[in-house]
Amino acid sequence: MLRVGTIAVALVLVALGASGHLLRRPALQPLLWIGIVVALAVILERWRYTRAEQPRDNAWEPTNERFVDPGSGKVMIVLYNPKTGDRRYVAEP
């Protein structure tokens, strides 16, 4: 709900900024860029933190760490790659 509200506010800012640009009102024009930045940040945030895909190689080892993802409510497993030190988070089947 917060996400949808934030995107709606960002779109209102974009509309106000665009109308300020068309009506040659310089005071409204920064709203266009603020709205675009806020909308992109909210959209890209969702993409960034939902990439919990299954690894395709055998380099990943499961750890004993488990946690509940606050966004989805699913139990997540922490995988560790000893070669690179990277960590991945995968939903428990």
Side-chain angles (χ1 to χ4, degrees):
M1 188 65 170
L2 178 63
R3 176 182 162 81
V4 173
T6 304
I7 291 174
V9 169
L11 293 178
V12 169
L13 291 175
V14 168
L16 287 173
S19 65
H21 181 72
L22 294 174
L23 298 173
R24 297 179 190 241
R25 306 258 176 158
L28 294 177
Q29 291 178 5
L31 297 178
L32 174 67
W33 299 109
I34 292 171
I36 289 172
V37 168
V38 170
L40 286 177
V42 172
I43 291 168
L44 293 177
E45 181 271 340
R46 175 63 58 100
W47 170 79
R48 168 65 176 91
Y49 292 107
T50 57
R51 290 187 319 152
E53 58 194 40
Q54 291 286 341
R56 294 183 181 152
D57 55 16
N58 293 331
W60 296 92
E61 298 176 2
T63 66
N64 292 330
E65 297 178 60
R66 305 278 190 273
F67 65 94
V68 177
D69 181 30
S72 65
K74 295 180 180 177
V75 175
M76 304 297 286
I77 300 171
V78 180
L79 301 177
Y80 175 72
N81 186 333
K83 293 178 185 174
T84 63
D86 291 340
R87 295 165 59 97
R88 284 189 173 175
Y89 310 101
V90 179
E92 193 173 62

